[in-house]
Amino acid sequence: MQELLMVRYGEIYLKGLNRPYFQNLLLARIKSALNNLTSKVTLHDSRIYIRDMKDSAACLHAVQRVFGVHSICPAIEMDKEDFAAVCEQAFQLMSGLSGGFKVFARRADKRYELDSPQICAAIGEYVLKRNKDLHVDVKNPEHKLNIEIRDKAYLYINVFAGPGGMPIGSNGKATLLLSGGIDSPVAGYMIAKRGVALSAVHFYSFPYTGERAKQKVLKLAQLLAAYCGELRLFLVPFTEIQMSIHEKCPADYTTLIMRRFMMKIAEIIAKDEKSQALITGESIGQVASQTMRSLACTDAVVTLPVFRPVIGFDKIDIISYAKNIGTFATSSLPYEDCCTVFTPKHPQTQPKIEAVEEAELFIDNIEDLINQAVQNSELIQL
Ligand code: ATP
Ligand code: MG
C-alpha cells in the first residue's frame, strides 16, 4: 500500500497522433515542477503518478500550477487482488466522516472479476456496516469514495482541480509586453495556459520610474514564471524615446506614438527570441490608446500577430482573474509606470493612421532610437 498523487489530464487534447507528444511534454513539465520534491514521476495507462513524496501538500501545490493538468487526487495504491483489504482500506479512508456517501467504481482492467456495480455494492455495504454515521445517498452525496481498478487498485476521496490548459511548449512561444499593471500579467497567463512559452519585455524610464517599479515588474515576472517555467525578461530603457516624443510631437499623439515605439521594439526582441506573436493586456476602450482605432495604429507598425486575450474583459473581471492567479497584490503596489510619465491632457481617441505617421516625422532618428534601446536592454533570466 502506498500514498501517491494521481494526475489526470484533459482528454480533448489526446486525440490522434499528438497524444504521446502531449503526454510526454506534460510529464516533463510535472517533473520539473517537482524538481526538489520527488523524482518518482511516471506516466502509465493515461494517468501520471507521483510517488515517494516527503511533503505531499507541497507536491500537490506544485502540480496545481502545471498547465495541462486537469485534476489531482491524493490516492492510496494497493494490490487489487486482495479485495477484502481494499474494502478495509475504503472503510479506513471514510473513518471519521459522517453524512451521505456514494461509491464510484471504475474498472479500467476489464478482466477484473468484479464489475463496477459489484465493486460499488460490496464496498458500500462493507463501509456502511462499520461506520454508523454514514448513510448511502446516491443523488447528492456529501462524500464520494472513488475506486479505480487498473494495474492496481486506487482509492481516493478528494479531487483537486488543476489549472487546465495545455503544457507549456506545446504551442510555441510569444513575447509579452509586461507593464507593472493588473492587465498584462493576466494576459500573459491566459496565453501561457494554452501551452505557449513566454518571454517578456518591460519598458522603464529612469529616473521617472524608480528601482521599486523595476522590482515590482521582476516580482510579476517571477509569479508568471511559477506557472510557465523559465521566462526571459528584457528590461528596455525608454527615457530617451519618451523625451524625444514629448519634445517633438504634437501632444495629443504622444501616447499613441509611444505605444508604437513599444510595439516595434518588442517585435525586434520577440523575433530574436523566436516568438511567433506579441501579447498585451489591452481591453477595448479602457484608455485612449485602447480604442479600436488606436489599436489599429499600434498594430500597423508590426508584422507579428498581436494577442490581446483580455480585449473583451471589463476591468472588474480582469481584477478577479488577477486575484485568482495571485498577481493582483503585486500589481496594486503604487509605483509609477513609464506610461504615466508625460501623459497628455487630451490624447487622441480616434486617430487616423496618416496623422500619426505625420506626427512621427518630427522625430528624425526613429531607427537609431529603437536600435539603441534594443542594444541597451538588460536580460534577466527567471
Ligand atoms: P496594465 O494594467 O497591463 O498596465 P493599463 O491599463 O495600464 O494595462 P496601458 O498602460 O495603456 O494599460 O498599457 C497597455 C498595455 O501595454 C499593457 O497591458 C502592456 O501589455 C503594455 N505596456 C504598458 N506599459 C508597459 C511597459 N512599461 N512595459 C511593457 N509593456 C507595457
Ligand atoms: Mg499599464
Side-chain angles (χ1 to χ4, degrees):
M1 188 192 95
Q2 162 160 225
E3 284 179 35
L4 47 68
L5 294 180
M6 192 165 78
V7 178
R8 287 207 194 92
Y9 37 87
E11 297 283 320
I12 57 172
Y13 312 118
L14 301 179
K15 307 263 188 284
L17 296 173
N18 285 334
R19 186 182 171 125
Y21 169 71
F22 173 88
Q23 287 171 321
N24 286 321
L25 193 54
L26 181 62
L27 181 67
R29 295 291 172 249
I30 291 178
K31 279 184 178 175
S32 93
L34 293 170
N35 197 13
N36 301 317
L37 295 164
T38 175
S39 57
K40 265 307 230 18
V41 187
T42 51
L43 167 71
H44 182 66
D45 200 14
S46 301
R47 298 271 190 274
I48 289 172
Y49 299 92
I50 301 164
R51 299 184 170 84
D52 286 358
M53 300 172 288
K54 284 192 191 69
D55 184 346
S56 56
C59 290
L60 175 64
H61 184 69
V63 180
Q64 277 188 293
R65 285 162 174 255
V66 178
F67 295 133
V69 170
H70 175 263
S71 63
I72 310 140
C73 314
I76 290 175
E77 176 186 58
M78 59 192 301
D79 182 6
K80 64 186 171 189
E81 302 310 335
D82 188 352
F83 191 68
V86 172
C87 291
E88 177 59 23
Q89 186 56 56
F91 162 64
Q92 296 291 343
L93 263 184
M94 302 293 287
S95 73
L97 299 181
S98 58
F101 86 110
K102 180 175 177 181
V103 182
F104 294 84
R106 187 181 175 133
R107 192 178 56 141
D109 171 7
K110 298 293 177 212
R111 290 164 310 177
Y112 197 63
E113 59 177 352
L114 301 174
D115 63 16
S116 299
Q118 289 169 328
I119 296 169
C120 289
I123 291 183
E125 194 184 321
Y126 189 94
V127 172
L128 207 54
K129 259 194 194 146
R130 287 158 181 81
N131 184 339
K132 301 292 178 207
D133 297 329
L134 286 170
H135 62 268
V136 173
D137 181 348
V138 288
K139 283 222 173 89
N140 192 17
E142 207 174 317
H143 310 290
K144 296 177 182 174
L145 173 60
N146 297 276
I147 322 280
E148 293 190 14
I149 302 291
R150 301 177 164 275
D151 54 335
K152 302 216 167 156
Y154 297 89
L155 286 77
Y156 57 91
I157 297 175
N158 295 316
V159 181
F160 295 88
M166 302 174 80
I168 291 285
S170 58
N171 273 320
K173 185 172 180 184
T175 296
L176 168 67
L177 283 85
L178 179 63
S179 72
I182 296 166
D183 311 331
S184 47
V186 171
Y189 177 98
M190 290 174 86
I191 297 296
K193 183 176 163 181
R194 299 302 306 157
V196 178
L198 295 186
S199 62
V201 176
H202 174 72
F203 299 91
Y204 68 96
S205 290
F206 187 77
Y208 301 100
T209 62
E211 182 58 28
R212 286 189 301 186
K214 202 165 164 179
Q215 290 306 323
K216 174 181 173 180
V217 171
L218 269 178
K219 177 72 190 165
L220 287 172
Q222 270 167 0
L223 291 171
L224 284 175
Y227 292 100
C228 61
E230 65 175 41
L231 187 149
R232 286 153 62 83
L233 169 66
F234 292 84
L235 298 172
V236 182
F238 206 52
T239 318
E240 210 178 322
I241 290 174
Q242 281 196 286
M243 297 293 276
S244 295
I245 299 172
H246 179 65
E247 278 163 18
K248 296 177 181 165
C249 302
D252 54 341
Y253 282 103
T254 53
T255 307
L256 199 53
I257 294 172
M258 179 193 75
R259 306 278 317 140
R260 283 160 58 98
F261 267 94
M262 283 187 176
M263 296 297 263
K264 283 194 216 182
I265 293 169
E267 184 179 57
I268 293 172
I269 294 174
K271 286 184 171 168
D272 226 38
E273 287 283 287
K274 308 249 182 314
S275 284
Q276 295 154 273
L278 297 173
I279 307 165
T280 80
E282 290 159 314
S283 135
I284 292 181
Q286 196 187 74
V287 288
S289 63
Q290 295 175 26
T291 62
M292 283 201 281
R293 279 198 187 209
S294 296
L295 294 175
C297 289
T298 42
D299 274 355
V301 296
V302 292
T303 55
L304 284 179
V306 183
F307 295 147
R308 301 180 169 97
V310 300
I311 194 75
F313 279 37
D314 290 351
K315 192 78 185 184
I316 197 169
D317 301 327
I318 304 176
I319 288 173
S320 85
Y321 208 116
K323 286 181 177 165
N324 276 339
I325 63 171
T327 54
F328 180 72
T330 306
S331 289
S332 304
L333 295 171
Y335 309 128
E336 288 276 276
D337 181 62
C338 71
C339 286
T340 52
V341 182
F342 310 127
T343 39
K345 277 215 175 68
H346 302 290
Q348 272 289 341
T349 55
Q350 298 302 324
K352 292 216 172 62
I353 196 137
E354 301 77 23
V356 185
E357 284 170 356
E358 211 168 287
E360 260 173 11
L361 291 177
F362 290 102
I363 310 173
D364 50 19
N365 58 340
I366 289 185
E367 293 305 316
D368 293 342
L369 287 170
I370 288 176
N371 291 334
Q372 264 173 36
V374 172
Q375 265 160 32
N376 293 332
S377 66
E378 179 192 349
L379 167 61
I380 297 180
Q381 175 83 54
L382 295 159

